[in-house]
Amino acid sequence: MSTFSDYKKEIMDAAHDERIGLALSRAIKSYRTNTGNALKKFPHTIKLAEEVREIKSKAIDRMEELAHQAGAAIEENKGKAYYAKTAAEALEIISGLVGKGKLIVKGKSMTGEEIGLRHHLEHIGNEVYETDLGEFIIQKLESKPAHILSPAIHVPKEDVAKLFSRITGEDLPAEIAKLVATARKLLREKFFAADIGISGANVVAADTGTMFMIENEGNIRLSTGAPPVHIALIGMEKLVPTLTEAYKVSEVTWRYANYTVPSYVSLVSGPSKTGDIEKVTTYGAHGPKEVHVVFLDGGRTELAKHPILRQVLFCLRCGGCLYECPVFAVTAGHFGDKYFASNGAVWAGMIDKDREKAAAIAYTCLTCGRCKVRCPMKIDSPEMIVALRKLLAEGE
Ligand code: SF4
Ligand code: SF4
C-alpha cells in the first residue's frame, strides 16, 4: 500500500471480489462452530484467559529483562541467544548465521513476516520453502498472507487446484484431500534435505528458555527437528516468566484459535543431545546440533509505554477477532498490512511509523467493538483506534 488512494482502491476491489467473500464465509462458519465447541468442552478456558491477560500485562512491562533471562537459560542449554533492537539488526544476525546458497524450510511466523525475513533470505541467495500449507500457497501465488493464522483464507480450493496443477503439471481436481496430499509430496523431501529450519514461537518461558510452538500440520516439528540447524525469531512480547505460565498462554491460544487441542505442541529449549555412549554429552543426536534464538524488540519496548496502545502486545495471534470483524469479512487481509484490522493499524502507526498507512487502516475500522467481545485478552480495539487517530491527528 503506497498511498491512501491505492489503499482505497485495494479495499474496494477486495470488497467486490466474490471469491474472497466465498472463502471467508466458509471459514467464518467453521471457526465459530469449532471455537464454540472447544469452549463448551473446556469452559475453564474463559477464566484462564483472564489470568493470561494478567500474565501478559505484567510480562510486557519486563520484556527486555525476560529476554535476557530466557537468553541466559538458552545458553545454559547450549543454544545461542541474540538480541535485536531493530528489524534490520534481526535480519543482519540471521543473515550472518545463514550465509548464502542454503536450503531453508520455514514454519509460519508473523514476526518473520513483520521483518520480511523470507524475501531477505531469498534476496541474499538462499532457497526458502514456506512449509505451512497456507503460507506455501501464498508463497507460490506470490501474494501476501490475509490472516494471522490462516494466511490463505481468501483463496478458495478451486484456485489452489489451479496453482498446484501449474506446479506439478498434473490436472488436479478441487478436492481438498488431494490438494493437501500434493503439498505433502512437494515438501516432504525438503525437510530432510534442508540445511536450516526457521520458526517463530507462540510463547517463550524465560526461566527455562523453552519455546512453545503450537500447530496441527506437523510442518513445524519437521522444520525444527529434521535440519541440523534451527533458527528461531521471537518478538519480545512472546515472553512470560515461567514454564507454567507459558503453558497457560498456550492453552488459551489454541482454544481461541478454534481447537479443543492441537495435534502438536513442540517445546524446544536447546539443541538435540545424547549421553548414551559412556555418559558423554554429545550435541546433535537426531535433532538439530545448533539452536539459535533471536529476540526482537523492533519498537515493542517503546510501544509498551503507551497506556492504551500497549494492549496490542497482549495479542495471542489466535485470530478470533478477525472472524468477528465485519470489515475483515468482506476484505480479508486487505484491511491491514503485516497485521490486520485494529491491531494492524496500531502496528503500522507505532512500529512501522507509517502514518498514512496507519490512518488508512484506523479510519476503515468501524470501532464497533465486535472483535473485543471475541478476544480472549479483551483487547479494546475501539479504545485503541480512538487513541491512535488522536495521535495521528496531533502529528505524534
Ligand atoms: S472495532 Fe474495527 S477491527 Fe474491531 S470488529 Fe469492529 S471494524 Fe473490525
Ligand atoms: S486481538 Fe485478541 S482475538 Fe485477535 S488475534 Fe489477538 S488475542 Fe486473538
Side-chain angles (χ1 to χ4, degrees), residues 219-238:
N219 67 303
I220 294 181
R221 294 221 133 177
L222 286 162
S223 299
T224 60
V229 178
H230 171 199
I231 300 174
L233 171 67
I234 318 274
M236 281 186 186
E237 81 284 13
K238 301 281 176 62

Side-chain angles (χ1 to χ4, degrees), residues 282-298:
T282 307
Y283 290 87
H286 300 290
K289 191 173 184 171
E290 294 176 29
V291 172
H292 302 269
V293 184
V294 182
F295 291 107
L296 171 67
D297 181 333

Side-chain angles (χ1 to χ4, degrees), residues 321 324-328 335 341-342 364-372 381-382 385:
C321 51
E324 290 304 324
C325 173
V327 180
F328 190 84
F335 177 28
S342 52
T364 314
C365 172
L366 308 172
T367 61
C368 64
R370 282 179 63 124
C371 48
K372 181 186 169 187
S381 290
I385 289 296

Side-chain angles (χ1 to χ4, degrees), residues 13-314:
D13 286 351
H16 290 106
D17 186 333
E18 284 177 10
R19 300 184 83 72
I20 291 180
L22 172 71
L24 275 167
S25 64
R26 286 173 182 162
I28 289 168
K29 202 166 154 216
S30 134
Y31 171 83
R32 286 188 182 153
T33 312
N34 292 345
T35 309
N37 290 343
L39 293 177
K40 209 183 284 167
K41 194 163 175 200
F42 298 98
H44 73 275
T45 316
I46 294 164
K47 194 91 198 132
L48 190 61
E50 287 172 22
E51 197 186 327
V52 164
R53 185 180 151 106
E54 277 303 301
I55 293 170
K56 291 284 289 184
S57 177
K58 286 186 187 145
I60 295 303
D61 293 331
R62 303 171 50 206
M63 274 184 289
E64 261 181 311
E65 178 199 334
L66 292 175
H68 283 90
Q69 193 190 348
I74 289 163
E75 299 264 349
E76 213 171 291
N77 304 335
K78 303 291 181 228
K80 293 261 177 244
Y82 310 80
Y83 310 93
K85 199 73 196 153
T86 61
E89 269 180 47
L91 288 174
E92 198 182 319
I93 293 166
I94 298 175
S95 319
L97 292 167
V98 170
K100 60 179 179 181
K102 302 287 180 3
L103 176 62
I104 300 167
V105 282
K106 184 176 163 294
K108 184 160 66 63
S109 155
M110 288 306 296
T111 314
E113 193 64 32
E114 181 188 324
I115 68 167
L117 182 58
R118 171 163 57 80
H119 289 114
H120 179 75
L121 292 175
E122 286 171 339
H123 180 70
I124 60 170
N126 297 286
E127 196 181 347
V128 186
Y129 283 86
E130 293 288 353
T131 59
D132 171 86
L133 179 53
E135 281 289 350
F136 179 68
I137 294 167
I138 292 301
Q139 182 184 17
K140 294 297 166 196
L141 282 173
E142 294 177 16
S143 178
K144 64 176 196 125
H147 186 274
I148 50 177
L149 211 64
S150 310
I153 195 170
H154 57 307
V155 187
K157 60 187 175 193
E158 293 78 8
D159 290 12
V160 180
K162 260 191 230 157
L163 173 72
F164 284 6
S165 298
R166 181 159 55 78
I167 297 172
T168 58
E170 295 168 34
D171 187 15
L172 295 165
E175 285 172 29
I176 294 173
K178 281 220 167 75
L179 300 171
V180 173
T182 304
R184 177 186 168 103
K185 206 165 132 202
L186 285 168
L187 286 170
R188 199 84 194 149
E189 69 195 51
K190 306 295 177 203
F191 290 117
F192 296 98
D195 302 293
I196 296 166
I198 294 185
S199 75
N202 296 89
V203 54
V204 181
D207 58 351
T208 58
T210 307
M211 299 175 271
F212 284 58
M213 291 167 276
I214 305 167
E215 61 158 338
N216 285 303
E217 292 182 12
N219 67 303
I220 294 181
R221 294 221 133 177
L222 286 162
S223 299
T224 60
V229 178
H230 171 199
I231 300 174
L233 171 67
I234 318 274
M236 281 186 186
E237 81 284 13
K238 301 281 176 62
L239 286 146
V240 296
T242 67
L243 196 61
T244 313
E245 288 166 313
Y247 177 79
K248 290 178 181 178
V249 175
S250 297
E251 186 175 354
V252 171
T253 303
W254 73 60
R255 275 293 132 64
Y256 279 85
N258 103 33
Y259 305 113
T260 48
V261 69
S263 294
Y264 308 104
V265 182
S266 300
L267 273 59
V268 175
S269 315
S272 144
K273 63 183 176 200
T274 178
D276 277 0
I277 304 177
E278 295 189 1
K279 289 274 164 247
V280 176
T281 306
T282 307
Y283 290 87
H286 300 290
K289 191 173 184 171
E290 294 176 29
V291 172
H292 302 269
V293 184
V294 182
F295 291 107
L296 171 67
D297 181 333
R300 288 159 170 80
T301 45
E302 199 49 43
L303 176 54
K305 292 179 193 155
H306 192 283
I308 294 169
L309 299 178
R310 69 194 289 275
Q311 291 177 81
V312 79
L313 296 167
F314 300 172

